[in-house]
């Protein structure tokens, strides 16, 4: 039993832990933003060196601007549990993507939501990179489109068209004032595009959230409870999976090393795993919050245990 003097301290720690637990999504986005800013600064200061060549500026600048964004988008898809729940096994059974025609829209919605979620980090990268302006300046200065070059070099010396690509390195043969002015124009354009991207993303997020909540089939409090339940079910599933996997491994190793027949071990069958792995679609006539709850409350579910899970896995491969 804790001394009375320590109880206020423990209560305060519990309150802090609950706060961080409840705000972990926002904290995660904050950490992602800080990491993105740090990554952009590292690339700009240590790695990025604009070639200041009309043939290479565009490719080099766009590579640094769009390359990390594509990598972050790919990582976002890799880390999406919903994508893999929908995609796993669909090559062997394409109907898993859309088992019923009525569910095709739900599957498309899931894929859209996965893509939108994976776009958060790339948009952060692009916004920060454009606000900094280094990559954009290098890329745009290498454009060879006559109309764009004429616009930049309007009312300037004839050497401007040939020296525009050297502006980011400030090694052009133009006057220092013209070089500085062009550099400021490129920097301003980059920041304007960056702010447009930020404002467009924020507006799209607001409209999407409003539309999603407006179309919700449950009330706000029930939706809040649903989110909490899904998080708790995920945590408990991981804990149960770890416990049962440990027990199954212990049983198999004990049987192997002691050269004895294995003991009976309850294990869900393949059909059960398939059913709880599908993406859940809410229906007003059902008071379920996940595919797992719908499965366990189904009176006609199959209780037949999986006797040889490893052999089944080998057969599926």
């Amino acid at each position: 039993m804790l001394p009375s003097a320590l109880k206020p301290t423990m209560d305060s720690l519990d309150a802090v832990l609950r706060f961080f637990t409840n705000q972990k999504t926002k904290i995660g986005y904050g950490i992602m933003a800080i990491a993105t800013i740090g990554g952009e600064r590292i690339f700009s200061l240590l790695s990025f060196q604009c070639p200041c060549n009309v043939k290479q500026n565009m490719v080099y600048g766009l590579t640094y601007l769009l390359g990390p964004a594509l990598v972050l988008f790919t990582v976002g898809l890799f880390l999406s549990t919903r994508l893999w729940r929908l995609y796993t096994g669909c090559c062997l059974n394409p109907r898993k993507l859309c088992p019923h025609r009525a569910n095709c829209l739900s599957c498309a919605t899931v894929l859209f939501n996965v893509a939108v979620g994976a776009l958060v980090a790339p948009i952060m990268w692009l916004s920060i990179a454009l606000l900094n302006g280094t990559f954009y300046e290098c890329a745009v200065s290498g454009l060879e489109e006559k109309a764009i070059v004429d616009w930049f070099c309007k009312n300037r010396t004839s050497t401007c068209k040939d020296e525009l690509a050297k502006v980011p390195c400030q090694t052009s043969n133009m006057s220092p004032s013209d070089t500085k002015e062009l550099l400021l124009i490129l920097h301003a354009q980059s920041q304007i595009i960056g702010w447009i991207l930020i404002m467009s993303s924020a507006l799209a997020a607001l409209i999407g959230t409003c539309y999603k909540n407006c179309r919700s089939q449950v009330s706000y409090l029930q939706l809040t409870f649903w989110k909490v339940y899904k998080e708790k079910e995920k945590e408990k599933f991981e804990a149960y999976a770890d416990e049962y996997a440990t027990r199954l491994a212990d049983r198999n190793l004990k049987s192997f090393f002691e050269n004895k027949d294995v003991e009976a071990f309850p294990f869900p069958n393949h059909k059960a795993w398939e059913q709880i792995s599908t993406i859940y679609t809410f229906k007003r006539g059902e008071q379920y919050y996940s595919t797992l709850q719908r499965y366990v409350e189904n009176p006609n579910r199959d209780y037949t245990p999986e006797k040889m899970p490893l052999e089944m896995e080998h057969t599926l491969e």
Side-chain angles (χ1 to χ4, degrees):
M1 189 172 181
L2 289 172
S4 57
L6 292 178
K7 286 185 177 180
T9 303
M10 295 303 298
D11 291 341
S12 300
L13 288 175
D14 289 340
V16 172
L17 288 175
R18 282 197 300 271
F19 171 79
F20 281 110
T21 302
N22 295 333
Q23 303 295 325
K24 61 184 178 181
T25 300
K26 296 177 182 177
I27 294 173
Y29 283 133
I31 294 174
M32 186 188 302
I34 294 173
T36 305
I37 294 173
E40 193 277 336
R41 294 308 300 165
I42 291 173
F43 273 126
S44 298
L45 297 176
L46 302 181
S47 175
F48 185 79
Q49 294 289 336
C50 185
C52 293
N53 184 294
V54 71
K55 300 295 183 180
Q56 300 176 13
N57 278 18
M58 172 62 73
V59 176
Y60 190 81
L62 288 181
T63 299
Y64 270 83
L65 187 63
L66 302 180
L70 179 60
V71 172
L72 290 171
F73 179 71
T74 305
V75 171
L77 293 180
F78 268 118
L79 298 178
S80 175
T81 304
R82 301 181 73 189
L83 174 64
W84 299 120
R85 288 187 68 171
L86 188 66
Y87 181 77
T88 301
C90 69
C91 291
L92 297 178
N93 183 13
R95 289 193 61 187
K96 286 185 65 176
L97 284 175
C98 186
H100 307 288
R101 290 185 177 181
N103 289 344
C104 287
L105 181 59
S106 299
C107 294
T109 302
V110 170
L111 291 174
F112 176 77
N113 290 335
V114 167
V116 170
L119 281 172
V120 173
I123 289 176
M124 283 185 181
W125 167 267
L126 289 174
S127 301
I128 293 168
L130 287 169
L131 289 178
N132 186 36
T134 305
F135 305 146
Y136 177 89
E137 293 165 7
C138 182
V140 175
S141 64
L143 286 173
E144 297 184 271
E145 184 66 32
K146 186 176 184 301
I148 296 176
V149 174
D150 290 342
W151 183 82
F152 275 111
C153 295
K154 185 178 180 181
N155 300 326
R156 303 186 194 280
T157 60
S158 57
T159 59
C160 174
K161 296 180 181 180
D162 299 325
E163 300 292 319
L164 183 61
K166 298 180 180 180
V167 168
C169 300
Q170 301 187 35
T171 58
S172 68
N173 293 325
M174 292 185 290
S175 65
S177 59
D178 282 348
T179 300
K180 184 177 180 180
E181 184 178 351
L182 286 172
L183 197 60
L184 289 175
I185 291 174
L186 289 170
H187 194 74
Q189 287 179 348
S190 180
Q191 291 186 327
I192 290 172
I193 296 174
W195 278 112
I196 290 175
L197 179 61
I198 293 172
M199 292 185 292
S200 301
S201 302
L203 184 61
L206 176 62
I207 294 174
T209 302
C210 291
Y211 176 79
K212 182 179 179 180
N213 288 354
C214 181
R215 298 280 298 176
S216 175
Q217 300 185 54
V218 298
S219 64
Y220 174 77
L221 290 179
Q222 188 176 7
L223 185 61
T224 302
F225 173 82
W226 192 354
K227 293 177 181 178
V228 173
Y229 170 80
K230 289 194 296 183
E231 190 66 28
K232 294 300 181 182
E233 183 186 271
K234 179 182 177 182
E235 293 176 3
K236 292 292 184 180
F237 178 84
E238 292 175 353
Y240 268 79
D242 183 73
E243 177 188 350
Y244 272 76
T246 302
R247 287 170 53 190
L248 180 60
D250 288 340
R251 185 203 70 156
N252 294 341
L253 289 170
K254 183 178 179 181
S255 173
F256 174 76
F257 281 103
E258 296 181 1
N259 197 23
K260 295 179 180 179
D261 292 335
V262 293
E263 302 172 356
F265 189 88
F267 200 81
N269 60 27
H270 176 67
K271 184 178 179 181
W273 285 109
E274 287 286 337
Q275 290 183 4
I276 69 167
S277 297
T278 57
I279 297 295
Y280 178 68
T281 304
F282 180 81
K283 297 179 181 178
R284 274 190 173 272
E286 300 177 345
Q287 191 64 22
Y288 305 139
Y289 293 100
S290 68
T291 51
L292 178 62
Q293 184 183 4
R294 181 170 59 189
Y295 173 78
V296 299
E297 294 190 15
N298 183 7
N300 299 320
R301 63 179 177 147
D302 186 5
Y303 290 93
T304 305
E306 188 74 88
K307 296 182 179 179
M308 291 184 293
L310 296 182
E311 183 176 333
M312 175 64 76
E313 180 182 352
H314 179 71
T315 303
L316 290 176
E317 290 179 350

